[in-house]
Amino acid sequence: MAETIGSGSSMCDKSAKIFVAGHRGLVGSAIVRKLQELGFTNLVLRTHAELDLTRQADVESFFAEEKPVYVILAAAKVGGIHANNTYPADFIGVNLQIQTNVIHSAYEHGVKKLLFLGSSCIYPKFAPQPIPESALLTGPLEPTNEWYAIAKIAGIKTCQAYRIQHGWDAISGMPTNLYGPNDNFHPQNSHVLPALMRRFHEAKVNGAEEVVVWGTGSPLREFLHVDDLADACVFLLDRYSGLEHVNIGSGQEVTIKELAELVKEVVGFEGKLGWDSTKPDGTPRKLMDSSMLASLGWTPKVSLRDGLTQTYAWYLENVCAANK
């Protein structure tokens, strides 16, 4: 929505060169859509094949040649619990390389402002709920994704260090659980929301009588549509310049049971929804405290129902069509 950019804006120049690192992923693709919708005409995009961000010399050459004004760092190696446990060296090493190379080259080549994106997994396993920014580094991490989390914490600290030492405008945003177009709907390693959507869709297509979901359905979770995240990223790039990282959440909680019932309704599955209470529930509650972002003047716009409806339409058009 065009009203994101304010009159006192640092981003009024729609021809300013913006490098979106990771533009093909869930987050990066949404940021590209948002910038294009706002009228930005000079986006610099590179696929992994065109620019390997883990190669320092290649990243330095890219920045020396392109000289972007703004950088949004949405590129990362991501994966679920199994991937984190199997490839810990990749999750810590690749992410540290990407961040260090991009942040340093951006500073060296005169980038005006950089936004680094992390994840809510940076917080301690037993952080207070809702989780404030101040909970960072106050306790042990969730062991299943600590390699990724430590890399992301290092990214926040790198941005802070460059601000302290060099007075350079590097900021960090930490999104909650995201969903939307370009999400991962893989049957084995997708997150809860796309996994539910795929299961209900396949049950509908196959005429199944029941879908059984693990656990009791009682855990509380927070979800943010990726288009809202993109809007928040442009808002922060435009309006925020501070040392502290900023939580980016919806502030709305939903039980897994409520989520499953809503996804079932959106997909149009007419069968029964069952629960296997012999299976684990996971963390009882995970909600980010996004009051800092709200105090800056940003609030989410996409309701969960509307977001699910849009995401299911995208799933039908892109995932199902591709599998035919």
Side-chain angles (χ1 to χ4, degrees):
M1 297 179 187
E3 68 270 16
T4 301
I5 301 296
S7 55
S9 161
S10 64
M11 293 185 68
C12 285
D13 180 6
K14 296 297 174 70
S15 65
K17 188 178 280 192
I18 304 174
F19 173 43
V20 182
H23 74 282
R24 283 185 160 179
L26 172 67
V27 172
S29 60
I31 290 169
V32 168
R33 286 196 304 274
K34 175 57 65 176
L35 289 169
Q36 288 172 337
E37 180 190 317
L38 291 168
F40 287 93
T41 57
N42 200 356
L43 305 186
V44 185
L45 310 172
R46 294 288 187 277
T47 64
H48 178 71
E50 291 167 334
L51 176 61
D52 183 346
L53 296 174
T54 67
R55 298 175 66 93
Q56 184 178 12
D58 293 358
V59 175
E60 287 178 354
S61 297
F62 164 79
F63 274 93
E65 185 177 327
E66 290 291 342
K67 291 191 166 25
V69 178
Y70 300 102
V71 172
I72 300 172
L73 182 42
K77 181 175 181 63
V78 297
I81 292 171
H82 177 72
N84 268 267
N85 285 339
T86 312
Y87 309 107
D90 290 354
F91 277 90
I92 194 165
V94 169
N95 284 307
L96 284 173
Q97 287 172 320
I98 290 170
Q99 294 160 197
T100 305
N101 291 342
V102 171
I103 293 169
H104 184 70
S105 286
Y107 166 70
E108 285 286 309
H109 293 282
V111 165
K112 182 178 178 181
K113 190 168 189 177
L114 177 141
L115 168 62
F116 169 72
L117 290 169
S119 157
S120 59
C121 75
I122 62 166
Y123 291 113
K125 182 174 183 175
F126 300 110
Q129 301 289 333
I131 309 170
E133 286 87 355
S134 59
L136 184 65
L137 296 175
T138 58
L141 298 165
E142 166 58 58
T144 54
N145 59 17
E146 68 176 339
W147 315 106
Y148 177 77
I150 284 174
K152 287 296 178 182
I153 292 168
I156 295 171
K157 292 298 173 185
T158 303
C159 289
Q160 291 177 343
Y162 275 74
R163 178 177 290 277
I164 292 165
Q165 185 173 331
H166 301 297
W168 185 52
D169 200 358
I171 61 172
S172 300
M174 299 298 121
T176 187
N177 300 312
L178 302 168
Y179 73 100
N182 290 310
D183 207 342
N184 172 20
F185 290 89
H186 190 277
Q188 268 80 51
N189 59 20
S190 55
H191 293 118
V192 60
L193 192 153
L196 284 171
M197 188 167 284
R198 184 181 185 121
R199 288 191 64 200
F200 281 120
H201 173 77
E202 290 178 349
K204 181 178 82 166
V205 170
N206 297 327
E209 291 183 7
E210 185 179 27
V211 168
V212 178
V213 181
W214 276 24
T216 64
S218 64
L220 287 157
R221 292 293 181 269
E222 175 186 29
F223 296 95
L224 183 71
H225 193 280
V226 74
D227 288 350
D228 270 336
L229 170 66
D231 192 60
C233 287
V234 177
F235 177 89
L236 287 171
L237 207 55
D238 185 44
R239 307 280 184 88
Y240 179 72
S241 294
L243 187 68
E244 183 97 70
H245 65 281
V246 181
N247 285 343
I248 307 173
S250 64
Q252 301 294 314
E253 288 182 289
V254 61
T255 65
I256 296 298
K257 186 173 189 291
E258 290 167 335
L259 176 68
E261 287 168 347
L262 192 51
V263 173
K264 176 178 181 283
E265 185 184 325
V266 165
V267 169
F269 174 64
E270 302 286 344
K272 290 194 326 191
L273 168 59
W275 296 92
D276 183 357
S277 58
T278 66
K279 296 292 195 293
D281 262 335
T283 308
R285 187 185 189 207
K286 191 176 178 190
L287 173 68
M288 303 223 320
D289 180 348
S290 298
S291 56
M292 180 176 168
L293 180 58
S295 73
L296 294 170
W298 186 87
T299 51
K301 298 168 185 66
V302 182
S303 72
L304 185 58
R305 180 183 293 274
D306 289 348
L308 288 173
T309 302
Q310 182 215 47
T311 303
Y312 185 52
W314 184 91
Y315 172 80
L316 291 174
E317 197 173 311
N318 294 272
V319 180
C320 294
N323 291 337
K324 283 183 179 175

